[in-house]
């Protein structure tokens, strides 16, 4: 199952095992041009592989375009649901096509939300399929 893990502050060297202390010290010195803020959503597969296209999309909209935290949360939820659907159906994200998007839309039209237990609104479905 896809996971959202919120970015935390880097640990200080004393907080990590001794073998990793040099790496922790080095990581703290690396300057990033556009760092992701603490709490930024990072999406991982069930095997803890970073879903790079999803995180890149969130970075573009949340950091570079400075969308609100609510917009970023909404986009993260949409991406979570889409990538989770692909993973559950054993479809690689780069292999997904229009037929998969139509099946995703149709599932939302016929099944209630697992989160709210209510039917999806047409507006929500359109919003998720469009992004």
């Amino acid at each position: 199952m896809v996971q959202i893990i919120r970015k935390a502050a880097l640990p200080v060297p004393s907080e990590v095992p001794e073998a990793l202390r040099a790496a922790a010290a080095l990581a703290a010195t690396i300057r990033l041009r556009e760092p992701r803020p603490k709490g930024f959503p990072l999406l991982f597969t069930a095997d803890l592989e970073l879903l790079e296209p999803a995180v890149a999309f969130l970075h573009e909209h949340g950091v570079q375009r400075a969308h609100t935290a609510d917009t970023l949360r909404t986009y993260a939820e949409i991406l979570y649901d889409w990538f989770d659907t692909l993973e559950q159906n054993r479809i690689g994200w780069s292999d997904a096509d229009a037929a998969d998007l139509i099946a995703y839309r149709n599932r939302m039209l016929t099944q209630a939300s697992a989160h709210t237990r209510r039917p999806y609104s047409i507006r929500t479905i359109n919003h998720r399929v469009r992004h």
Side-chain angles (χ1 to χ4, degrees):
M1 180 169 212
V2 172
Q3 297 179 50
I4 295 178
I5 299 174
R6 303 281 172 186
K7 182 183 172 290
L10 289 173
V12 295
S14 63
E15 296 174 332
V16 299
E18 190 168 336
L20 299 174
R21 288 186 182 156
L26 178 63
T29 66
I30 297 172
R31 298 210 20 96
L32 300 174
R33 189 170 62 132
E34 296 173 309
R36 294 181 184 115
K38 186 176 177 181
F40 185 88
L42 301 172
L43 280 78
F44 292 88
T45 66
D47 297 327
L48 291 179
E49 293 177 22
L50 185 66
L51 289 166
E52 293 183 31
V55 174
F57 178 87
L58 293 173
H59 179 86
E60 177 184 344
H61 290 275
V63 176
Q64 295 173 333
R65 294 187 184 184
H67 284 282
T68 67
D70 284 341
T71 299
L72 188 63
R73 178 190 51 78
T74 298
Y75 286 170
E77 289 172 2
I78 292 168
L79 289 168
Y80 170 86
D81 192 49
W82 169 244
F83 280 93
D84 191 51
T85 298
L86 292 175
E87 189 170 273
Q88 288 179 27
N89 289 293
R90 295 183 174 87
I91 301 167
W93 66 266
S94 60
D95 298 324
D97 59 19
D100 299 311
L101 189 58
I102 291 167
Y104 174 66
R105 182 207 57 200
N106 290 346
R107 178 186 56 85
M108 288 186 284
L109 286 168
T110 59
Q111 296 177 11
S113 165
H115 178 68
T116 65
R117 307 281 185 244
R118 294 181 304 195
Y120 289 94
S121 75
I122 295 300
R123 184 176 173 185
T124 297
I125 294 168
N126 288 337
H127 186 66
R128 287 185 176 200
V129 172
R130 187 175 56 246
H131 288 91

